[in-house]
């Protein structure tokens, strides 16, 4: 029939294959890029928040947020508080009251003192008026070990009180201060006079905290605002690189 032209999909095979590759390789790769960019940026945002809400946080505290990267086989990035530590309680444990609010968990030093019969049931410890704090406002690890060793409450066999001159000195130096029969805390002798003592650890009721570190609120808002932007950036970058998929 004269004067008829058919427009069909013939000739679009190359373009179809190009878009098929876009969906199979480039979009998934851009998605992983955007997830990881957002996760690492969120980690930095949470570290900044730690600096704001806590008074002189230690480097250990500031670096307690970590990222588990997304991959093509696991298309989700994880931002979390570290749940492991070789020296002290992990951040996921001792920051929990600051994230959720509520009671503070028992510290290792408190358990040792309680097991030794020094710290009464239901009581916890806080720095006393005579405790010398480090530059971050905390009780130094070495100072706490001296106190525990002097009271015979150190669990590490290599750090327990011995008959060395230093250990004998620590046993004479630290003692439980009482008022009548009520234990008030751990005191330290610092001179030869009887009255030359100072309270280094006070026994207190269980501390309770209100929420200070809005971990989830900050994360939800940041992801909602930045993930779509990062995806657009990642897709443009992948397309601009010639459409090469991630390795």
């Amino acid at each position: 029939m004269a004067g008829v032209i058919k427009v069909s999909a013939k000739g679009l095979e190359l373009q179809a294959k190009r878009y098929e590759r876009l969906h199979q390789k480039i979009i998934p790769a851009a998605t992983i890029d955007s997830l990881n960019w957002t996760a690492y940026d969120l980690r930095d945002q949470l570290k900044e928040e730690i600096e704001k809400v806590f008074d002189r946080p230690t480097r250990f505290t500031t670096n307690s947020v970590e990222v588990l990267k997304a991959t093509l086989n696991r298309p989700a990035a994880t931002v979390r508080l570290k749940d492991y530590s070789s020296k002290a309680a992990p951040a996921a444990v001792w920051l929990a009251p600051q994230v959720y609010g509520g009671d503070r968990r028992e510290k290792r030093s408190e358990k040792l003192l309680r097991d030794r019969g020094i710290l009464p049931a239901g009581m916890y410890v806080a720095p006393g008026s005579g405790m010398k704090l480090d530059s971050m406002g905390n009780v130094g690890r070495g100072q706490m070990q001296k106190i525990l060793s002097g009271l015979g409450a150190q669990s590490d066999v290599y750090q327990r009180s011995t008959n060395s001159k230093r250990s004998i000195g620590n046993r004479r130096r630290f003692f439980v201060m009482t008022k009548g029969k009520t234990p008030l805390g751990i005191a330290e002798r610092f001179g030869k006079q009887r009255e030359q003592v100072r309270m280094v650890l006070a026994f207190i009721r269980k501390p309770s905290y209100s929420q200070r570190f809005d971990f989830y609120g900050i994360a939800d808002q940041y992801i909602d605002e930045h993930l779509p932007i990062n995806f657009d950036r990642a897709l443009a970058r992948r397309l601009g690189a010639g459409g090469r998929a991630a390795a």
Side-chain angles (χ1 to χ4, degrees):
M1 186 175 183
V4 176
I5 298 176
K6 291 184 178 180
V7 180
S8 68
K10 185 179 180 180
L12 293 179
E13 292 87 352
L14 182 61
Q15 286 82 351
K17 288 182 179 180
R18 183 179 302 167
Y19 281 98
E20 181 180 357
R21 186 182 182 202
L22 178 68
H23 284 282
Q24 289 182 348
K25 294 185 177 181
I26 296 178
I27 289 180
T31 299
I32 298 304
D33 288 344
S34 64
L35 292 173
N36 288 328
W37 292 353
T38 304
Y40 279 106
D41 289 345
L42 173 58
R43 179 199 61 181
D44 294 341
Q45 187 79 10
L46 291 169
K47 289 171 71 171
E48 289 182 12
E49 185 68 11
I50 287 174
E51 295 282 355
K52 291 178 183 177
V53 301
F54 296 110
D55 180 26
R56 293 172 295 172
T58 64
R59 184 176 298 177
F60 182 75
T61 300
T62 304
N63 292 331
S64 62
V65 186
E66 68 175 358
V67 173
L68 301 181
K69 292 177 65 174
T71 66
L72 289 173
N73 293 326
R74 190 185 66 246
T78 301
V79 182
R80 67 178 188 178
L81 296 173
K82 293 179 181 178
D83 60 358
Y84 57 89
S85 174
S86 60
K87 295 183 178 180
V93 171
W94 53 265
L95 275 178
Q98 311 291 347
V99 173
Y100 300 104
D103 295 336
R104 172 171 70 74
R105 295 194 183 188
E106 183 180 63
K107 295 181 179 179
R108 173 181 172 274
S109 57
E110 290 167 335
K111 183 179 186 306
L112 293 173
L113 290 170
R114 206 182 309 282
D115 291 346
R116 187 72 171 79
I118 295 170
L119 183 62
M123 302 297 285
Y124 292 75
V125 298
S129 58
M131 173 63 78
K132 185 176 181 181
L133 302 177
D134 62 21
S135 60
M136 301 296 179
N138 301 313
V139 178
R141 182 177 175 83
Q143 179 68 3
M144 182 60 76
Q145 287 178 348
K146 287 180 182 178
I147 295 171
L148 294 174
S149 176
L151 296 171
Q154 181 56 263
S155 63
D156 189 339
V157 65
Y158 296 106
Q159 295 177 346
R160 288 178 186 168
S161 179
T162 65
N163 289 324
S164 68
K165 187 175 181 180
R166 177 180 296 178
S167 291
I168 293 173
N170 280 338
R171 288 201 295 270
R172 293 173 178 170
R173 182 177 171 185
F174 299 104
F175 65 97
V176 179
M177 179 179 286
T178 62
K179 183 177 182 180
K181 294 184 178 180
T182 304
L184 301 177
I186 308 300
E188 176 186 17
R189 296 183 178 91
F190 62 93
K192 295 182 179 180
Q193 302 300 319
R194 182 181 178 86
E195 64 274 10
Q196 289 182 298
V197 297
R198 55 193 168 205
M199 184 77 76
V200 289
L201 291 177
F203 295 164
I204 62 171
R205 293 293 176 184
K206 191 170 188 177
S208 183
Y209 301 107
S210 58
Q211 185 193 54
R212 296 175 62 193
F213 183 26
D214 190 12
F215 182 88
Y216 294 104
I218 293 170
D220 288 344
Q221 181 178 349
Y222 193 88
I223 292 169
D224 287 346
E225 291 178 358
H226 291 84
L227 183 57
I229 297 171
N230 282 336
F231 176 76
D232 289 341
R233 287 177 52 222
L235 184 59
R237 178 175 174 271
R238 288 283 173 176
L239 293 171
R244 293 191 297 273

